[in-house]
Amino acid sequence: MVYRIHFTVEDLARTRVWPRSLPLMELGAAVRTLQEPGHGVRFRAWRRHALAGLRPDAAMVLELIRTRRWAPDFLTRAEAGSPEEVLERVRATPRARIRDDLAQAAADRPLPSWTRHLADDRDLFQQLCDSLDHTYRVLLSPHWQRITSNATAEAGMRTRQALAGGLEHLLTVANPRCMRWSAPVLDVALASGLEGDLHLEGRGLLLVPSYFAPRWSAVCTACQPQPVLTYPANSPSDAASFIACPPPPAHDRGAGSSSLAALLGHTRAAVLTSIGEHPGCSTNELARLSGTAPPTASRHAATLRGAGLVRTARHRNTVLHTLTALGANLLDAPRGG
């Protein structure tokens, strides 16, 4: 089954890459990935920790967001904002919207019997919202800061691709397994299994990276000012490591910074920290972030790369720097006196 997105010249001109992740769409991708085996090492540890941390009340969300099935839009809509803001907006969903979204999902598959009362029973709906909050805290919250920072790097890389090869090239390479560009139509295999046509009619398309959708894309057609399409992120950062590994415990970075400087030297520690906070930065960007000259930043980055703490990837004439899993662990590890 294929979903066809029809472009005009105006649509191509207005299509862009969003430098942030969208909380509900990313949560929907994570719920589907949790239920879908076969992603190998990348999600093995994450799935184990997630299943151990989910309470029984998460079942309400898991029953409504299924792999290769249409989910009610109010649970997966493409809304910008912090996760806390977006989750609070879900609680204010009008009853008519709940009914309409449930009816659309029910046309794709039978829904649980308890959903028949969802629009009119506000206590039941608040239970579903509590389930959604809990699912977010277990599946996404520990990784959200890194996901959002890596989305910025992803957008920078994709923008460079579009500038170098044109937007049609970007549409070709963004998700080659499930997206095929045949001008002026983009054929997409969606996570929901939806089949049909979307005519952009001059609005363009907003492309949003997703880290918990290793293969499938998702679409939100009702978004304003333009529809949204997610695609599997392929950031130069070490995305697999922060998804696969449980997050380190919180600690006092102030004390850790002085310890890191004692270990690496102040300048090299500043370079490593800058790369950690701005994954995918170029050498010139790294120099500005760390307060050094470009040759100095390049030299220290090379030393850190030789130590296995930093990875560099070349895109055209630009070198992009990101942490390895070892570098991220060193930067995040608590360091006491």
Side-chain angles (χ1 to χ4, degrees), residues 5-8 11-12 15 198-205 226-227:
I5 302 177
H6 300 259
F7 286 76
T8 64
D11 294 317
L12 288 172
T15 293
L198 171 63
H199 294 268
L200 296 175
E201 299 176 334
R203 294 171 296 171
L205 189 66
Q226 57 193 160

PDB file of all heavy atoms in Angstrom, residues 5-8 11-12 15 198-205 226-227:
ATOM      1  N   ILE A   5       1.979  11.627  -2.466  1.00  0.00           N
ATOM      2  CA  ILE A   5       1.976  13.061  -2.170  1.00  0.00           C
ATOM      3  C   ILE A   5       2.332  13.806  -3.453  1.00  0.00           C
ATOM      4  O   ILE A   5       3.408  13.601  -4.028  1.00  0.00           O
ATOM      5  CB  ILE A   5       2.978  13.397  -1.052  1.00  0.00           C
ATOM      6  CG1 ILE A   5       2.641  12.591   0.214  1.00  0.00           C
ATOM      7  CG2 ILE A   5       2.961  14.895  -0.744  1.00  0.00           C
ATOM      8  CD1 ILE A   5       3.611  12.798   1.353  1.00  0.00           C
ATOM      9  N   HIS A   6       1.422  14.663  -3.900  1.00  0.00           N
ATOM     10  CA  HIS A   6       1.557  15.346  -5.182  1.00  0.00           C
ATOM     11  C   HIS A   6       2.110  16.761  -4.978  1.00  0.00           C
ATOM     12  O   HIS A   6       1.555  17.545  -4.206  1.00  0.00           O
ATOM     13  CB  HIS A   6       0.201  15.406  -5.891  1.00  0.00           C
ATOM     14  CG  HIS A   6      -0.390  14.058  -6.173  1.00  0.00           C
ATOM     15  ND1 HIS A   6      -0.333  13.470  -7.432  1.00  0.00           N
ATOM     16  CD2 HIS A   6      -1.041  13.165  -5.368  1.00  0.00           C
ATOM     17  CE1 HIS A   6      -0.933  12.286  -7.380  1.00  0.00           C
ATOM     18  NE2 HIS A   6      -1.370  12.081  -6.144  1.00  0.00           N
ATOM     19  N   PHE A   7       3.192  17.061  -5.695  1.00  0.00           N
ATOM     20  CA  PHE A   7       3.879  18.349  -5.574  1.00  0.00           C
ATOM     21  C   PHE A   7       3.636  19.207  -6.813  1.00  0.00           C
ATOM     22  O   PHE A   7       3.506  18.691  -7.932  1.00  0.00           O
ATOM     23  CB  PHE A   7       5.389  18.147  -5.431  1.00  0.00           C
ATOM     24  CG  PHE A   7       5.835  17.639  -4.094  1.00  0.00           C
ATOM     25  CD1 PHE A   7       5.653  16.301  -3.747  1.00  0.00           C
ATOM     26  CD2 PHE A   7       6.460  18.484  -3.189  1.00  0.00           C
ATOM     27  CE1 PHE A   7       6.076  15.824  -2.519  1.00  0.00           C
ATOM     28  CE2 PHE A   7       6.889  18.015  -1.959  1.00  0.00           C
ATOM     29  CZ  PHE A   7       6.696  16.687  -1.624  1.00  0.00           C
ATOM     30  N   THR A   8       3.622  20.509  -6.601  1.00  0.00           N
ATOM     31  CA  THR A   8       3.727  21.482  -7.683  1.00  0.00           C
ATOM     32  C   THR A   8       5.071  22.190  -7.520  1.00  0.00           C
ATOM     33  O   THR A   8       5.806  21.944  -6.539  1.00  0.00           O
ATOM     34  CB  THR A   8       2.593  22.519  -7.608  1.00  0.00           C
ATOM     35  OG1 THR A   8       2.737  23.280  -6.390  1.00  0.00           O
ATOM     36  CG2 THR A   8       1.229  21.843  -7.623  1.00  0.00           C
ATOM     37  N   ASP A  11       5.059  23.898  -4.296  1.00  0.00           N
ATOM     38  CA  ASP A  11       5.252  22.984  -3.166  1.00  0.00           C
ATOM     39  C   ASP A  11       6.727  22.691  -2.936  1.00  0.00           C
ATOM     40  O   ASP A  11       7.197  22.658  -1.794  1.00  0.00           O
ATOM     41  CB  ASP A  11       4.494  21.680  -3.402  1.00  0.00           C
ATOM     42  CG  ASP A  11       2.991  21.885  -3.403  1.00  0.00           C
ATOM     43  OD1 ASP A  11       2.500  22.627  -2.531  1.00  0.00           O
ATOM     44  OD2 ASP A  11       2.318  21.320  -4.289  1.00  0.00           O
ATOM     45  N   LEU A  12       7.459  22.459  -4.006  1.00  0.00           N
ATOM     46  CA  LEU A  12       8.893  22.196  -3.871  1.00  0.00           C
ATOM     47  C   LEU A  12       9.601  23.400  -3.266  1.00  0.00           C
ATOM     48  O   LEU A  12      10.510  23.256  -2.438  1.00  0.00           O
ATOM     49  CB  LEU A  12       9.500  21.857  -5.229  1.00  0.00           C
ATOM     50  CG  LEU A  12       9.125  20.473  -5.787  1.00  0.00           C
ATOM     51  CD1 LEU A  12       9.617  20.333  -7.221  1.00  0.00           C
ATOM     52  CD2 LEU A  12       9.699  19.357  -4.920  1.00  0.00           C
ATOM     53  N   THR A  15       8.806  23.449   0.609  1.00  0.00           N
ATOM     54  CA  THR A  15       9.125  22.284   1.428  1.00  0.00           C
ATOM     55  C   THR A  15      10.398  22.547   2.226  1.00  0.00           C
ATOM     56  O   THR A  15      11.367  23.093   1.708  1.00  0.00           O
ATOM     57  CB  THR A  15       9.289  21.040   0.545  1.00  0.00           C
ATOM     58  OG1 THR A  15       8.015  20.721  -0.035  1.00  0.00           O
ATOM     59  CG2 THR A  15       9.784  19.851   1.344  1.00  0.00           C
ATOM     60  N   LEU A 198      -2.478  12.806  -1.443  1.00  0.00           N
ATOM     61  CA  LEU A 198      -2.453  14.111  -0.803  1.00  0.00           C
ATOM     62  C   LEU A 198      -1.934  15.124  -1.811  1.00  0.00           C
ATOM     63  O   LEU A 198      -0.802  15.010  -2.294  1.00  0.00           O
ATOM     64  CB  LEU A 198      -1.541  14.089   0.425  1.00  0.00           C
ATOM     65  CG  LEU A 198      -1.258  15.458   1.074  1.00  0.00           C
ATOM     66  CD1 LEU A 198      -2.550  16.075   1.600  1.00  0.00           C
ATOM     67  CD2 LEU A 198      -0.233  15.319   2.199  1.00  0.00           C
ATOM     68  N   HIS A 199      -2.758  16.098  -2.154  1.00  0.00           N
ATOM     69  CA  HIS A 199      -2.354  17.185  -3.045  1.00  0.00           C
ATOM     70  C   HIS A 199      -1.985  18.387  -2.186  1.00  0.00           C
ATOM     71  O   HIS A 199      -2.828  18.942  -1.477  1.00  0.00           O
ATOM     72  CB  HIS A 199      -3.490  17.530  -4.010  1.00  0.00           C
ATOM     73  CG  HIS A 199      -3.797  16.417  -4.977  1.00  0.00           C
ATOM     74  ND1 HIS A 199      -3.203  16.327  -6.229  1.00  0.00           N
ATOM     75  CD2 HIS A 199      -4.605  15.329  -4.865  1.00  0.00           C
ATOM     76  CE1 HIS A 199      -3.644  15.255  -6.858  1.00  0.00           C
ATOM     77  NE2 HIS A 199      -4.499  14.627  -6.058  1.00  0.00           N
ATOM     78  N   LEU A 200      -0.724  18.783  -2.239  1.00  0.00           N
ATOM     79  CA  LEU A 200      -0.244  19.839  -1.357  1.00  0.00           C
ATOM     80  C   LEU A 200      -0.798  21.211  -1.729  1.00  0.00           C
ATOM     81  O   LEU A 200      -0.910  22.089  -0.871  1.00  0.00           O
ATOM     82  CB  LEU A 200       1.288  19.869  -1.384  1.00  0.00           C
ATOM     83  CG  LEU A 200       1.963  18.592  -0.841  1.00  0.00           C
ATOM     84  CD1 LEU A 200       3.463  18.666  -1.026  1.00  0.00           C
ATOM     85  CD2 LEU A 200       1.609  18.375   0.619  1.00  0.00           C
ATOM     86  N   GLU A 201      -1.091  21.427  -2.983  1.00  0.00           N
ATOM     87  CA  GLU A 201      -1.773  22.643  -3.447  1.00  0.00           C
ATOM     88  C   GLU A 201      -1.056  23.920  -3.030  1.00  0.00           C
ATOM     89  O   GLU A 201      -1.655  24.870  -2.547  1.00  0.00           O
ATOM     90  CB  GLU A 201      -3.218  22.656  -2.934  1.00  0.00           C
ATOM     91  CG  GLU A 201      -4.025  21.465  -3.442  1.00  0.00           C
ATOM     92  CD  GLU A 201      -5.434  21.426  -2.863  1.00  0.00           C
ATOM     93  OE1 GLU A 201      -5.632  21.969  -1.756  1.00  0.00           O
ATOM     94  OE2 GLU A 201      -6.330  20.860  -3.526  1.00  0.00           O
ATOM     95  N   GLY A 202       0.263  23.906  -3.202  1.00  0.00           N
ATOM     96  CA  GLY A 202       1.038  25.109  -2.945  1.00  0.00           C
ATOM     97  C   GLY A 202       1.501  25.292  -1.517  1.00  0.00           C
ATOM     98  O   GLY A 202       2.231  26.245  -1.219  1.00  0.00           O
ATOM     99  N   ARG A 203       1.093  24.409  -0.595  1.00  0.00           N
ATOM    100  CA  ARG A 203       1.478  24.577   0.807  1.00  0.00           C
ATOM    101  C   ARG A 203       2.885  24.081   1.096  1.00  0.00           C
ATOM    102  O   ARG A 203       3.524  24.507   2.066  1.00  0.00           O
ATOM    103  CB  ARG A 203       0.492  23.827   1.713  1.00  0.00           C
ATOM    104  CG  ARG A 203      -0.925  24.386   1.710  1.00  0.00           C
ATOM    105  CD  ARG A 203      -1.872  23.468   2.453  1.00  0.00           C
ATOM    106  NE  ARG A 203      -1.992  22.171   1.777  1.00  0.00           N
ATOM    107  CZ  ARG A 203      -2.610  21.121   2.301  1.00  0.00           C
ATOM    108  NH1 ARG A 203      -3.127  21.203   3.530  1.00  0.00           N
ATOM    109  NH2 ARG A 203      -2.716  19.996   1.627  1.00  0.00           N
ATOM    110  N   GLY A 204       3.378  23.164   0.279  1.00  0.00           N
ATOM    111  CA  GLY A 204       4.660  22.550   0.583  1.00  0.00           C
ATOM    112  C   GLY A 204       4.518  21.492   1.659  1.00  0.00           C
ATOM    113  O   GLY A 204       3.423  21.211   2.157  1.00  0.00           O
ATOM    114  N   LEU A 205       5.648  20.898   2.052  1.00  0.00           N
ATOM    115  CA  LEU A 205       5.669  19.791   3.002  1.00  0.00           C
ATOM    116  C   LEU A 205       6.724  20.080   4.060  1.00  0.00           C
ATOM    117  O   LEU A 205       7.804  20.589   3.759  1.00  0.00           O
ATOM    118  CB  LEU A 205       6.002  18.487   2.270  1.00  0.00           C
ATOM    119  CG  LEU A 205       5.868  17.179   3.040  1.00  0.00           C
ATOM    120  CD1 LEU A 205       4.412  16.898   3.395  1.00  0.00           C
ATOM    121  CD2 LEU A 205       6.422  16.018   2.202  1.00  0.00           C
ATOM    122  N   GLN A 226       1.213  23.686   6.867  1.00  0.00           N
ATOM    123  CA  GLN A 226       1.500  22.694   5.834  1.00  0.00           C
ATOM    124  C   GLN A 226       1.516  21.302   6.443  1.00  0.00           C
ATOM    125  O   GLN A 226       1.783  21.132   7.643  1.00  0.00           O
ATOM    126  CB  GLN A 226       2.846  22.999   5.160  1.00  0.00           C
ATOM    127  CG  GLN A 226       4.020  23.062   6.097  1.00  0.00           C
ATOM    128  CD  GLN A 226       5.260  23.669   5.473  1.00  0.00           C
ATOM    129  OE1 GLN A 226       6.136  24.112   6.170  1.00  0.00           O
ATOM    130  NE2 GLN A 226       5.366  23.695   4.159  1.00  0.00           N
ATOM    131  N   PRO A 227       1.216  20.274   5.632  1.00  0.00           N
ATOM    132  CA  PRO A 227       1.254  18.894   6.132  1.00  0.00           C
ATOM    133  C   PRO A 227       2.664  18.500   6.580  1.00  0.00           C
ATOM    134  O   PRO A 227       3.660  19.079   6.139  1.00  0.00           O
ATOM    135  CB  PRO A 227       0.816  18.070   4.925  1.00  0.00           C
ATOM    136  CG  PRO A 227       0.054  19.030   4.065  1.00  0.00           C
ATOM    137  CD  PRO A 227       0.720  20.346   4.253  1.00  0.00           C
TER     138      PRO A 227
END
